[in-house]
Each structure stands twice: as C-alpha cells, then as structure tokens.
Amino acid sequence: MGNLNLGQPLWSTCFLIATIAFGFTTSPTSHAQERPTSAGLPDAELITDLIAANRILADKGILDGFGHVSVRHRLDPKRFLLSRSLAPALVTADDVIEYDLNGVAVDTEGSAEYSERFIHAAIYEARPDINAIVHHHSPSLITFGISSVELRPTYHLAAFIVDRVPVFDIRDALGVTGMLVNDSSRGRALARTLGERPAVLMRGHGTVVVGPTLPVVVARSIYLEVNARIELDAIALGGPVVYLDADEARAVLAEGEHRAYERPWELWKKESSSQ
Amino acid sequence: MGNLNLGQPLWSTCFLIATIAFGFTTSPTSHAQERPTSAGLPDAELITDLIAANRILADKGILDGFGHVSVRHRLDPKRFLLSRSLAPALVTADDVIEYDLNGVAVDTEGSAEYSERFIHAAIYEARPDINAIVHHHSPSLITFGISSVELRPTYHLAAFIVDRVPVFDIRDALGVTGMLVNDSSRGRALARTLGERPAVLMRGHGTVVVGPTLPVVVARSIYLEVNARIELDAIALGGPVVYLDADEARAVLAEGEHRAYERPWELWKKESSSQ
Amino acid sequence: MGNLNLGQPLWSTCFLIATIAFGFTTSPTSHAQERPTSAGLPDAELITDLIAANRILADKGILDGFGHVSVRHRLDPKRFLLSRSLAPALVTADDVIEYDLNGVAVDTEGSAEYSERFIHAAIYEARPDINAIVHHHSPSLITFGISSVELRPTYHLAAFIVDRVPVFDIRDALGVTGMLVNDSSRGRALARTLGERPAVLMRGHGTVVVGPTLPVVVARSIYLEVNARIELDAIALGGPVVYLDADEARAVLAEGEHRAYERPWELWKKESSSQ
Amino acid sequence: MGNLNLGQPLWSTCFLIATIAFGFTTSPTSHAQERPTSAGLPDAELITDLIAANRILADKGILDGFGHVSVRHRLDPKRFLLSRSLAPALVTADDVIEYDLNGVAVDTEGSAEYSERFIHAAIYEARPDINAIVHHHSPSLITFGISSVELRPTYHLAAFIVDRVPVFDIRDALGVTGMLVNDSSRGRALARTLGERPAVLMRGHGTVVVGPTLPVVVARSIYLEVNARIELDAIALGGPVVYLDADEARAVLAEGEHRAYERPWELWKKESSSQ
C-alpha cells in the first residue's frame, strides 16, 4: 500500500508534473478517437475520499475483485474520476483516470480501463444531482434482482429507498448480451431505469448505487446490503412484516439523511486504512 | 488508539485539570439552556469499563458507526456518562460527557452530541435498578422488531428475556416522526414500553438493552443477538420448537445471571483491546 | 499470551516445584472435603495439546466466553485435566487443574472452578474409551437441540454421527433446574443419555462432544457444527435431502476416521497460535 | 511462511540440486511399484501460482484442513503437480510432488500423499483442455450435492455453469465405499460424470472444479460458492427466480470468461500473502 500516502497528494503531484511536462490537458493520443480535454487538477481531498470509498467497500465485502467507485470532478460537471481497471482494494491515487460523459478518458497513460465505465458516464449525464456512483456485485442484492420479491425499506437507515429500487433487465432493453454495460447506449438504458432513484438492481449481474457525495453513496451501499439481509430474514420468519411507512421514511430523509453519514464515515475510513 | 491508555486514566486527569483551571463543575455555557452541575469526578474504572463496552460491542458487530453505550454516575444517580457524537469503536475517555436525566450535558466542550441521548436519560429516570444502557441497530433484532413472530428465549444464556421483549412502535405512540428518540417525551414513551424488562425492540429502528452493570448489559446485548439467530434457524427448520420453560428461566436467573458474566467479560475486554 | 510458551513446559515446571516444595500429591487443603491424590506429572505434550484445543475451538467460534475442554490423565484413567474457571481462549498451562471422577480437584490453588466439571467427570467414569471432552454453546447445534428435526450426517466428515446425536432434556431427567449440570447426579444423567455415542445435544443449553483424543474431539466439534449448517440449508432448499447412508458412514469410519484428523490439526494449531 | 519466498524459487533450486546429486529423474525408489520419470524442472511461476491458489482458497474458506489444488506440468501433459498430504494453507514449494496420470509420484521423498490424488490424475487424463483442478468440501455446495434442487447460474460470474453441474453419487457407480476417490477406477468414474463440464458435485462429500489455468479454477471455485449462497437465498424468498438465460450465459463466455479473472487474481494473491 506504499502508493497511498494520504499525507502527500501523490496523484496531484503526478498530475501537475504531467501537465507541465507534456501539455497534458491537450495531449494527443495514440488512439484514433479524439480525447477530451481535462477539467484541471482535482482537489486532493476528493481523490483521498475516492480511494477511501474503494477501500471501505472492499473492507465491508460489498466490492470484491470486480466493481468500481467514481466521483464527479468538482471543476467541471462534465468530467468524472474513476480508477484504471484494478480491484477496488488495490486502487491508489496514481490509478485514477479522468473521463468525460461519453466514457472517454482524458488520458489512460496506457492503462486498461473498466469496460463498464459507461454506467458512470451515463448516470452523471442524466443526473446532475448525483456526484458519486458505486457499481458492485454484492450477493444479497443480486438475490433481490432475480426474485419476484421486491426490496423494501425495513428500518430508518434504509429510508432512502422509500420510492423502491427498480430492476434493470438488460434482456428486456437490449436482447441477448454478454450482460455488461460496456457502451453508451447500454449505460443510457440503465440510467433510464434508475430514473430519479438512489439505486438500481441489475438482473443477473449486480447493483448501482448513487448519491450526492462519496460518504453518502458508501453508506447507502452498506445499508442497502444490511436491509436486504434483514428483509430476507424477516420473510423467512414466516409472519407478516411491517416495512417502513412511506411518510415516516420521508420524515427521516427530511431531517437530513443521517447527517450525511459523517459519524460512520470517520469510522470506516479508519478501519479500512488500518488493514 | 493512542488516546486510550488504560494504565493512565487520562480522562480523570483531564477532568481534574479542567475542574481546577476552569471551574468546570459550574462553568457557564454559551447555550441559553441552564447547564446542570457535575456530580464530580467519576472513578477511572467506570470510564475504563465504559470505553471497553463500546469497543467490545463494536468488535462483535452489535454496534456499527451508529448506536451508543452509557453508564450511570456512581456519585449521583441523577447523572449518567455517554460519549460525544462518535462511532462507538472510536470512543476514548476524552470523549465522555456527563448528562442529567433530562439529557442535558454538564459541559459538551463544544462537541456534537448524540441526538438520541434521551433514550438513556428517560430510562435512568424510570428505572433506578438500571446502571448501564446500550442502543444498537443489530440486524437480527431489527428483523424481530418488524415481524409478527415474537422473540423468545431459546437457551439458558437468554433466560433474562423470560418476560419477553416488547416492541416499541413510535408511530403508535407519537404518529409520523423521523424515527429518532431525540427528545424527552419520546424517551419517556420508550421507557414506558420497556417497563421492567431488560430490553425493548424499536420497530424499524433498533434495540435498547439495559442492565445493572456494564458487563451485564454487554453480555445481554451479545446473547440477545445470538438468541435471535438461533430462533431464526429453529423456525426455518420447520418443526415445532421447544423454548426455554419460564420456570427454568427463572431458576437460571435465581442462581445469579451467569455470575454477572465475569468470565466472558475478561475475554471480551482482551479481544477488543488487541484490535 | 506470555504465559503460553510451548517451548518451555511451564506447567510441568510449576507442578514439579509444587511437588517438591509442598508435597503436592498429599497436600492438605483448606476445604472440609477430602482431596484426591494426584496421578503425578502429566506429560507436557498433553498439556500443550489441551491448551491448543481450547484456543482452536475459540478461534473457530465453537467456544466463546463459556464452555470448556478436558483430557484424561495418561498416568491414571481415574483423573482428568481441566482449566480453572476461565474463558477457553485465555487458558494457559498454569490454569490446568487435575480432577478425579467425582469432579473433585486435587488442588485448585485457590482458583474458582467450572461449575459444570461434572459433565466431564461423569463421562470419563462411564466411557473408558473416551479421553477428551468438549462442552460448548455453538448456536447451530442449540438450534437442533430445541427442534423436532433431527441432526443427521450430510457428508463423510460427519460420518461419526451415524448412530445419531441424542438430546438430553434436563427437565425430563431432573425437573425444573437452573439448566446447569453442576453436580454428579446431573452429570451421570447426561452420561446415560450420551450412551455409547460421540455427542449429545443439551436442550436449551449446548452440546457435549467426546472422542478418543484431543485432535479427534476438536475435529468432531468443528465438523458437527459444519454439518448442522449444511443440514439447515439443505432443508431450507425445500426438496428431499439424501443423508449419508449408514453403511457408507460405517465404511468411512472403518477406514480410520479421517486418519485421526492429523492434517487439519496441524493447520488449526498454527492458525490459533498466530492470533 | 519462511519457506515460501516468491523472490527465490526454492523449489526449483531444490529440484536442481536433487537432480544433480541423486540422478533424481531416474532415481530408484524403495517401493515395489515402478516410479515414472520426471518431465523436468517446472517453471518457477507455475509453482508460485500453485502455492498462491492453495492459500487463496484457504483464505476464502473454500478449502479448510482438507481438499487440494493441482496444476498440469507445462513440459509434459502426462504429468501434474500436487502437494504432499498437507493442509492447503500450509503448502510451500518444497511440498510439491510430480505425478503421472495414474496418480503415481515421481518421488515422494518419503512424504505421505493425498489419498485422493486419483481425482486429479483421472481428470487430467480425460480432459486435455484442463490444466488446473481443485477438490474441496465447501459447505454450500455440499448442500446442493445432497438436495434434489439443482445448482443453476444466478448471475454473470457463474455463467460458466450454463450446462449445469452434475452430481457424482459414488454409491450408484461403485456401491458402498468409504466415500473417497482413492484409486484410479474411482477417479475415472468421477471423470466420466464430470464429462466436459467445469465442475462436479460429489454427493455427501464435496466438489471438484476444473479449468484451463490456476486463476480460472480459483475464480470458478469462489464464484460457484457465491452462486450457491445467492440461489439458497433466492429460493428462501419464496417467489419465482429468474436464472441466467442460457443464450446470455454463452454470450458472457464468448466475450472471454471475465478476461481470465486477471483483476481479482491480483487482489487475491495480495490478500492471501499478507496473512
């Protein structure tokens, strides 16, 4: 983990050197495709939080070797930041790539890219209120994505799904595919199913969770998984289940979705960095 | 974890310095509200055990980023001790605040407070036999709080719930709310549902466990969770289930609820401090 | 864990010093009860394995703060070795006490004793083929102890329960009690239900597993728990389940119950000592 | 872990010294049976990956004290490499033995052998497309091996079981046995049930997973287990379940089974080596 030195924003430094030495923001590429320009140096805190988000969700078992986390660039809403193709637990500041809303990289520096970056691109395009996105394969949520039983909020920490979690069935939208959302048209179909909601289940594949900030999207990812386990157990008990009342859920959210999860975010950062 | 040095009662030292330097026990505050007076310096062992209780329940997964543990002050039954707003795993002696039974702090030293401190205040007020309280969001117990299936004692370590665990539905008591017990009237409604029992489930929210000492409330929190998992599995097996006989449960308790859990308490303290 | 130095048989040394200095084998005690004589110094390897068995089962979550492991003395079949009252994960060679088959200690050196040592005493008395015993509260097996669904062997590593696992209901044998097997008559009632089998479930309490050696009793404890989880899941799937055929199970055992579990024993010892 | 120094191919060095000093490839043995000749020094990377595969699957709980992983020799398709009888988590380069397709060792150097090496021998003989094999006792898959409910692909990472996972019932093939595949005829019966598929469940025993490379067989072992948990939960929910469409699964595989799992393989190697 030598590359992740939160005290020294290495990524920023590299970026700066690259910008000075190679005219990075307008660098020609060896690819035929036209590269977008950079929005400029992202702030170090945002990169630090992006790395933390990757590690936290790996530490909690929400992300395994696959899946990814992105954040919108603060200097330009038409750019977002995402790691090169790498297991989330291994991501460092040096691995972060800047993308435009077509999923085209400013500069990959020769690295392989996540083939499903179009999930992120299409959602940032469709949802100006969203600044952070997670795509994962957490098992309990795949379960709900292939079941006729709907995911519903069981407790206040899942109040954010008061308007339910839609299921995106790629076969309905696009016929027989290799199941991956690996181009813009697939990304946009997924974004349409997501609509204005905070999450979407992908049938036979995984989940996408979105939020206004990295701490919120991380917390939503964790509590959506916990909520799935509670619902599974409550249904197994056999009696009727009382889900969160819609009015109550809205009242929970009106008080400010758990103060933006500041309290657990501090804990999770500490836990995942001490690994 | 540099702040938690059990060999040196830092908290006491800080408290003492604060008392000498700033006239702490009668310190004026910047809030309009009248601050209660301090009951005086709590003994170091109690603070050490309070920190241990926080860490043990975090280590066991009963507490996550939310939830809290409190203990009644030994010098004054009208005062109790609770951390400032912080994830339980991170609590150190320096974070402990003294409260009165209205949930008003002697001195927050500018820290944010747990909004649900009123759970603790109201129960200490209603239950002179209780000296330690835990509020948590452990999933298996949320399951029972939203199910029509009642939590029942499956084995001797859960004998303490022989008189059952009531469910507090905040909607029945107070209508549509943001689900939090964040004022005295909500705290008192919860305390009424708890009655003379050792625990209460909060529908769509979490659980409160109470006890005469910190080791007992910690052990009850852990074994209530284990009991929930056993009951879930026993029901899933499909055949009739033999729960603990009420007379047997009372006989278990009459022999002195597992010698106050001294044996596991030593283990849990060691496990959680080596993290 | 400074007391457990497997390279230096501290226990033996202490024992030797005690014998020389205090005439340990015939030492008078401060208790009214007549103390049995010692069978002499147990070999260091047996003590090392007894400590390992305690730690392995704690490491695997089979034992928590309660429960215990014992081994029969090699020099005298009427003596066995068991820790003083202590959580199994914390047991060191210095904590081991020698007992006779009435559950009376040769010398407790002032330590508190496990109140359920009579489980061990009565079974060593009834079963000359047995040299090691575990009593634990592992949740999946408590589930089967309170269910009408019987525990059955699902795979070859559970072949040893081919003759089933009986359930001891202390209420049937002894009426309303505090659920503990804390005297000789209760121990003997339990031993009668165990009969010639390798394990007995205690309704609303826990499990006793027995075996010819410490590695075998540890392995049986672990695989009985795994078998319970498999059976729970297989029943939840809903279709008919094919359990191990009795003839097959006997053929498995006839080949020498998994070579006495030598292979996992080496692993488990290493895992639990590196904690 | 002192023996496993990935920077220094100790195994290769030992092998070389052995070859020079003792004419290893034609060394006579003390056994009556004729020993096969060695295919020569295997490349160090293959040995490194074989050790990593053992450790990864132990780290993930797929392998415990029993079970084993093998890889086909690159210099001779009629030879494969497998540890001496040892818990997988403890395997080092020094423990690896070279075998022929009858399960006869080139030289055991006096070590005990896995009695079920015939699983590997028979499958390498029957399946020239396969270069890596795992045999394990992972509980969720034993569940499906004894149930009438069939294991089916729930998501794209389990697309490789599109043609289902057959169940080998040794009793049907060979009558009452000790359940072990410990000779060539049993190995060949198992290989026949496996056929051209990537895995076979062994009723009342465990699972065999096969693949073209070590990273692929490790990933298949992990995702088959995850798939089993998802299917168990989806069935427990009670509603109809939508499994992966066969055409979709084939499309997933046609795009190159998850790029040979390069991304998680890097993660898993790192995780298991830092233990």
Side-chain angles (χ1 to χ4, degrees), chain D residues 128-145:
Chain D
D129 60 313
I130 291 307
N131 295 308
I133 299 172
V134 175
H135 169 54
H136 67 70
H137 302 157
S138 184
S140 300
L141 293 169
I142 293 176
T143 299
F144 279 92

mmCIF file of all heavy atoms in Angstrom, chain D residues 128-145:
data_model
loop_
_atom_site.group_PDB
_atom_site.id
_atom_site.type_symbol
_atom_site.label_atom_id
_atom_site.label_comp_id
_atom_site.label_asym_id
_atom_site.label_seq_id
_atom_site.Cartn_x
_atom_site.Cartn_y
_atom_site.Cartn_z
ATOM 1 N N PRO D 128 -7.937 -33.081 -21.918
ATOM 2 C CA PRO D 128 -6.717 -32.357 -22.324
ATOM 3 C C PRO D 128 -6.856 -30.839 -22.251
ATOM 4 O O PRO D 128 -5.849 -30.138 -22.197
ATOM 5 C CB PRO D 128 -6.495 -32.816 -23.768
ATOM 6 C CG PRO D 128 -7.666 -33.632 -24.165
ATOM 7 C CD PRO D 128 -8.452 -33.983 -22.956
ATOM 8 N N ASP D 129 -8.104 -30.330 -22.215
ATOM 9 C CA ASP D 129 -8.313 -28.869 -22.150
ATOM 10 C C ASP D 129 -8.106 -28.319 -20.745
ATOM 11 O O ASP D 129 -8.085 -27.098 -20.551
ATOM 12 C CB ASP D 129 -9.738 -28.533 -22.605
ATOM 13 C CG ASP D 129 -10.814 -29.197 -21.734
ATOM 14 O OD1 ASP D 129 -10.694 -30.419 -21.451
ATOM 15 O OD2 ASP D 129 -11.765 -28.505 -21.310
ATOM 16 N N ILE D 130 -7.980 -29.194 -19.772
ATOM 17 C CA ILE D 130 -7.919 -28.775 -18.363
ATOM 18 C C ILE D 130 -6.488 -28.804 -17.855
ATOM 19 O O ILE D 130 -5.784 -29.799 -18.037
ATOM 20 C CB ILE D 130 -8.810 -29.726 -17.519
ATOM 21 C CG1 ILE D 130 -10.282 -29.499 -17.852
ATOM 22 C CG2 ILE D 130 -8.551 -29.569 -16.016
ATOM 23 C CD1 ILE D 130 -10.752 -28.064 -17.743
ATOM 24 N N ASN D 131 -6.056 -27.724 -17.204
ATOM 25 C CA ASN D 131 -4.701 -27.642 -16.663
ATOM 26 C C ASN D 131 -4.647 -27.381 -15.161
ATOM 27 O O ASN D 131 -3.554 -27.264 -14.609
ATOM 28 C CB ASN D 131 -3.920 -26.539 -17.385
ATOM 29 C CG ASN D 131 -3.733 -26.877 -18.846
ATOM 30 O OD1 ASN D 131 -3.270 -27.967 -19.190
ATOM 31 N ND2 ASN D 131 -4.140 -25.972 -19.729
ATOM 32 N N ALA D 132 -5.812 -27.230 -14.512
ATOM 33 C CA ALA D 132 -5.820 -26.951 -13.077
ATOM 34 C C ALA D 132 -7.102 -27.507 -12.457
ATOM 35 O O ALA D 132 -8.175 -27.415 -13.067
ATOM 36 C CB ALA D 132 -5.723 -25.453 -12.821
ATOM 37 N N ILE D 133 -6.961 -28.109 -11.275
ATOM 38 C CA ILE D 133 -8.085 -28.795 -10.621
ATOM 39 C C ILE D 133 -8.086 -28.490 -9.121
ATOM 40 O O ILE D 133 -7.039 -28.488 -8.487
ATOM 41 C CB ILE D 133 -7.983 -30.333 -10.832
ATOM 42 C CG1 ILE D 133 -8.029 -30.667 -12.333
ATOM 43 C CG2 ILE D 133 -9.087 -31.072 -10.076
ATOM 44 C CD1 ILE D 133 -7.747 -32.127 -12.676
ATOM 45 N N VAL D 134 -9.301 -28.249 -8.577
ATOM 46 C CA VAL D 134 -9.480 -28.064 -7.133
ATOM 47 C C VAL D 134 -10.484 -29.101 -6.622
ATOM 48 O O VAL D 134 -11.529 -29.310 -7.247
ATOM 49 C CB VAL D 134 -10.039 -26.660 -6.815
ATOM 50 C CG1 VAL D 134 -10.342 -26.517 -5.321
ATOM 51 C CG2 VAL D 134 -9.075 -25.566 -7.273
ATOM 52 N N HIS D 135 -10.179 -29.728 -5.501
ATOM 53 C CA HIS D 135 -11.165 -30.558 -4.796
ATOM 54 C C HIS D 135 -11.358 -29.955 -3.418
ATOM 55 O O HIS D 135 -10.386 -29.740 -2.692
ATOM 56 C CB HIS D 135 -10.676 -32.001 -4.675
ATOM 57 C CG HIS D 135 -11.520 -32.818 -3.734
ATOM 58 N ND1 HIS D 135 -12.881 -32.932 -3.852
ATOM 59 C CD2 HIS D 135 -11.185 -33.541 -2.623
ATOM 60 C CE1 HIS D 135 -13.355 -33.689 -2.866
ATOM 61 N NE2 HIS D 135 -12.338 -34.067 -2.113
ATOM 62 N N HIS D 136 -12.621 -29.637 -3.073
ATOM 63 C CA HIS D 136 -12.876 -29.009 -1.767
ATOM 64 C C HIS D 136 -14.164 -29.512 -1.133
ATOM 65 O O HIS D 136 -14.941 -30.231 -1.775
ATOM 66 C CB HIS D 136 -12.873 -27.484 -1.905
ATOM 67 C CG HIS D 136 -14.013 -26.938 -2.731
ATOM 68 N ND1 HIS D 136 -15.305 -26.958 -2.309
ATOM 69 C CD2 HIS D 136 -14.019 -26.345 -3.952
ATOM 70 C CE1 HIS D 136 -16.077 -26.407 -3.237
ATOM 71 N NE2 HIS D 136 -15.334 -26.033 -4.243
ATOM 72 N N HIS D 137 -14.378 -29.120 0.136
ATOM 73 C CA HIS D 137 -15.566 -29.526 0.914
ATOM 74 C C HIS D 137 -16.388 -28.308 1.327
ATOM 75 O O HIS D 137 -16.928 -28.265 2.435
ATOM 76 C CB HIS D 137 -15.137 -30.266 2.190
ATOM 77 C CG HIS D 137 -14.302 -31.484 1.957
ATOM 78 N ND1 HIS D 137 -13.469 -31.998 2.921
ATOM 79 C CD2 HIS D 137 -14.168 -32.298 0.879
ATOM 80 C CE1 HIS D 137 -12.864 -33.086 2.441
ATOM 81 N NE2 HIS D 137 -13.263 -33.280 1.198
ATOM 82 N N SER D 138 -16.487 -27.324 0.447
ATOM 83 C CA SER D 138 -17.193 -26.095 0.824
ATOM 84 C C SER D 138 -18.676 -26.388 1.108
ATOM 85 O O SER D 138 -19.380 -26.984 0.294
ATOM 86 C CB SER D 138 -17.054 -25.089 -0.316
ATOM 87 O OG SER D 138 -17.645 -23.884 0.053
ATOM 88 N N PRO D 139 -19.159 -25.970 2.317
ATOM 89 C CA PRO D 139 -20.484 -26.412 2.791
ATOM 90 C C PRO D 139 -21.658 -26.095 1.852
ATOM 91 O O PRO D 139 -22.520 -26.950 1.656
ATOM 92 C CB PRO D 139 -20.639 -25.680 4.128
ATOM 93 C CG PRO D 139 -19.245 -25.493 4.614
ATOM 94 C CD PRO D 139 -18.434 -25.223 3.371
ATOM 95 N N SER D 140 -21.721 -24.905 1.284
ATOM 96 C CA SER D 140 -22.896 -24.550 0.475
ATOM 97 C C SER D 140 -23.045 -25.456 -0.744
ATOM 98 O O SER D 140 -24.145 -25.676 -1.231
ATOM 99 C CB SER D 140 -22.800 -23.099 -0.008
ATOM 100 O OG SER D 140 -22.726 -22.242 1.093
ATOM 101 N N LEU D 141 -21.930 -25.951 -1.238
ATOM 102 C CA LEU D 141 -22.006 -26.823 -2.404
ATOM 103 C C LEU D 141 -22.313 -28.255 -2.003
ATOM 104 O O LEU D 141 -22.974 -28.986 -2.747
ATOM 105 C CB LEU D 141 -20.725 -26.712 -3.227
ATOM 106 C CG LEU D 141 -20.594 -25.317 -3.860
ATOM 107 C CD1 LEU D 141 -19.210 -25.122 -4.435
ATOM 108 C CD2 LEU D 141 -21.659 -25.112 -4.937
ATOM 109 N N ILE D 142 -21.862 -28.677 -0.819
ATOM 110 C CA ILE D 142 -22.295 -29.994 -0.317
ATOM 111 C C ILE D 142 -23.815 -29.998 -0.202
ATOM 112 O O ILE D 142 -24.479 -30.987 -0.529
ATOM 113 C CB ILE D 142 -21.621 -30.302 1.038
ATOM 114 C CG1 ILE D 142 -20.118 -30.484 0.821
ATOM 115 C CG2 ILE D 142 -22.236 -31.560 1.675
ATOM 116 C CD1 ILE D 142 -19.313 -30.700 2.092
ATOM 117 N N THR D 143 -24.380 -28.861 0.245
ATOM 118 C CA THR D 143 -25.837 -28.725 0.343
ATOM 119 C C THR D 143 -26.520 -29.065 -0.979
ATOM 120 O O THR D 143 -27.484 -29.840 -1.001
ATOM 121 C CB THR D 143 -26.183 -27.270 0.759
ATOM 122 O OG1 THR D 143 -25.592 -27.011 2.027
ATOM 123 C CG2 THR D 143 -27.686 -27.064 0.830
ATOM 124 N N PHE D 144 -26.023 -28.495 -2.075
ATOM 125 C CA PHE D 144 -26.647 -28.774 -3.373
ATOM 126 C C PHE D 144 -26.383 -30.215 -3.831
ATOM 127 O O PHE D 144 -27.185 -30.792 -4.555
ATOM 128 C CB PHE D 144 -26.178 -27.764 -4.429
ATOM 129 C CG PHE D 144 -26.930 -26.462 -4.338
ATOM 130 C CD1 PHE D 144 -26.455 -25.415 -3.569
ATOM 131 C CD2 PHE D 144 -28.150 -26.308 -4.989
ATOM 132 C CE1 PHE D 144 -27.163 -24.224 -3.453
ATOM 133 C CE2 PHE D 144 -28.870 -25.122 -4.880
ATOM 134 C CZ PHE D 144 -28.382 -24.076 -4.115
ATOM 135 N N GLY D 145 -25.265 -30.785 -3.377
ATOM 136 C CA GLY D 145 -24.958 -32.169 -3.753
ATOM 137 C C GLY D 145 -25.864 -33.198 -3.098
ATOM 138 O O GLY D 145 -25.957 -34.342 -3.565
#
